């Protein structure tokens, strides 16, 4: 059984393990990652018996016009169980009044987001500056 929570009940090690399991660079910086997750405006987590932190999604918003979703991850052992779709649905419900819902995803994940109702932006490009510590 999967349970979902807006409480921040997970350890730094569980977060590190989840991010490394999906090969995200952030997992190599567990202290900064844990701090970032705990200080996200909204953090929704998925928990299972065999995988304590099965997935998560975070949000940062200006409270009216824009919400940005920096993280959506599901542990590989828990994928294809509707966890990602449930996280997205619950977050979109929470931020239904925001006019612009924004995320950046790898090209290989575009299909997932499109199947969940997202549209690829036309005439716009995501711009990033990434400065991970050495």
């Amino acid at each position: 059984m999967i349970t979902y929570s807006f409480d921040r009940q997970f350890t730094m090690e569980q977060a590190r393990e989840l991010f490394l399991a999906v090969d995200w660079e952030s997992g190599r910086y567990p202290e900064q990652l844990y701090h970032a997750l705990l200080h996200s405006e909204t953090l929704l987590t998925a928990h299972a018996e065999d995988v304590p932190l099965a997935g998560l999604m975070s949000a940062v918003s200006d409270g009216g016009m824009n919400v940005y979703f920096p993280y959506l991850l599901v542990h590989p052992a828990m994928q294809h169980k509707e966890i990602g779709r449930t996280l997205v649905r619950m977050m979109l419900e929470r931020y239904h009044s925001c006019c612009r819902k924004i995320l950046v995803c790898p090209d290989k994940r575009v299909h997932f987001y499109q199947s969940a109702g997202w549209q690829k932006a036309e005439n716009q490009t995501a711009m990033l500056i990434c400065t991970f510590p050495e």
Side-chain angles (χ1 to χ4, degrees):
M1 182 167 111
I2 309 300
T3 58
Y4 298 89
S5 175
F6 286 102
D7 298 332
R8 294 154 202 257
Q9 300 297 320
F10 59 93
T11 66
M12 179 169 43
E13 182 59 24
Q14 289 170 337
R16 185 187 75 79
E17 288 176 8
L18 173 60
F19 277 72
L20 291 177
V22 295
D23 200 30
W24 277 35
E25 180 81 8
S26 305
R28 293 183 39 220
Y29 309 98
E31 291 177 11
Q32 289 170 288
L33 173 61
Y34 192 62
H35 178 84
L37 293 172
L38 292 180
H39 289 86
S40 293
E41 177 181 0
T42 304
L43 185 68
L44 175 59
T45 54
H47 305 272
E49 254 185 60
D50 47 343
V51 180
L53 188 56
L56 64 80
M57 187 171 182
S58 66
V60 180
S61 174
D62 61 17
M65 293 298 294
N66 301 288
V67 60
Y68 171 59
F69 300 104
Y71 296 118
L72 172 59
L73 301 89
V74 176
H75 193 285
M78 301 303 294
Q79 291 178 2
H80 308 292
K81 298 178 186 294
E82 298 296 312
I83 294 171
R85 289 187 193 289
T86 301
L87 292 168
V88 169
R89 180 185 49 76
M90 290 176 74
M91 280 293 213
L92 290 177
E93 286 173 6
R94 178 163 279 218
Y95 288 98
H96 72 276
S97 64
C98 284
C99 300
R100 189 176 297 112
K101 296 152 182 86
I102 306 160
L103 61 81
V104 176
C105 71
D107 289 339
K108 65 183 179 180
R109 298 288 181 239
V110 168
H111 178 70
F112 167 79
Y113 288 102
Q114 287 175 326
S115 72
W118 296 80
Q119 298 174 6
K120 194 171 180 179
E122 296 296 325
N123 301 315
Q124 296 184 36
T125 300
M127 304 298 289
L128 305 169
I129 296 174
C130 292
T131 56
F132 286 102
E134 294 299 317

